[in-house]
């Protein structure tokens, strides 16, 4: 995980660089927002979303997992 100063509209992203997963978080947001963004991006990695689904499909899947009560406090 790295910090990267994106525009104020981007909280974070995940990608693959040199065969390794990279999660970048925008440090311009508060610590709670950064934590939630990291969780969101980590789910993309764990679910294998990178390059495997459309943005809408991936975002819907992550939102469903984050809203699942079984994962409360993750």
């Amino acid at each position: 995980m790295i910090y990267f100063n994106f525009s104020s509209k981007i909280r974070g992203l995940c990608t693959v660089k040199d065969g390794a997963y990279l999660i970048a978080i925008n440090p311009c947001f508060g610590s709670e927002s950064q934590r939630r963004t990291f969780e969101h991006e980590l789910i993309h990695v764990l679910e294998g979303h990178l390059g495997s689904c459309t943005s809408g499909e991936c975002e819907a899947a992550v939102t469903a997992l984050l809203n699942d009560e079984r994962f409360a406090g993750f």
Side-chain angles (χ1 to χ4, degrees):
M1 198 239 11
I2 63 167
Y3 290 102
F4 187 84
N5 290 315
F6 295 106
S7 75
S8 62
K9 294 181 180 183
I10 299 174
R11 294 182 184 273
L13 63 79
C14 58
T15 190
V16 176
K17 180 168 175 60
D18 300 326
Y21 294 110
L22 175 67
I23 295 176
I25 304 296
N26 190 342
C28 296
F29 292 90
S31 60
E32 181 63 20
S33 177
Q34 290 178 33
R35 182 190 62 77
R36 287 191 318 265
T37 300
F38 178 77
E39 289 173 356
H40 179 103
E41 300 304 333
L42 181 60
I43 289 172
H44 282 303
V45 171
L46 295 174
E47 291 293 308
H49 289 169
L50 300 175
S52 69
C53 57
T54 68
S55 177
E57 291 171 334
C58 292
E59 293 305 316
V62 169
T63 298
L65 282 171
L66 287 171
N67 290 333
D68 190 319
E69 292 179 7
R70 295 175 296 168
F71 298 104
F74 166 68

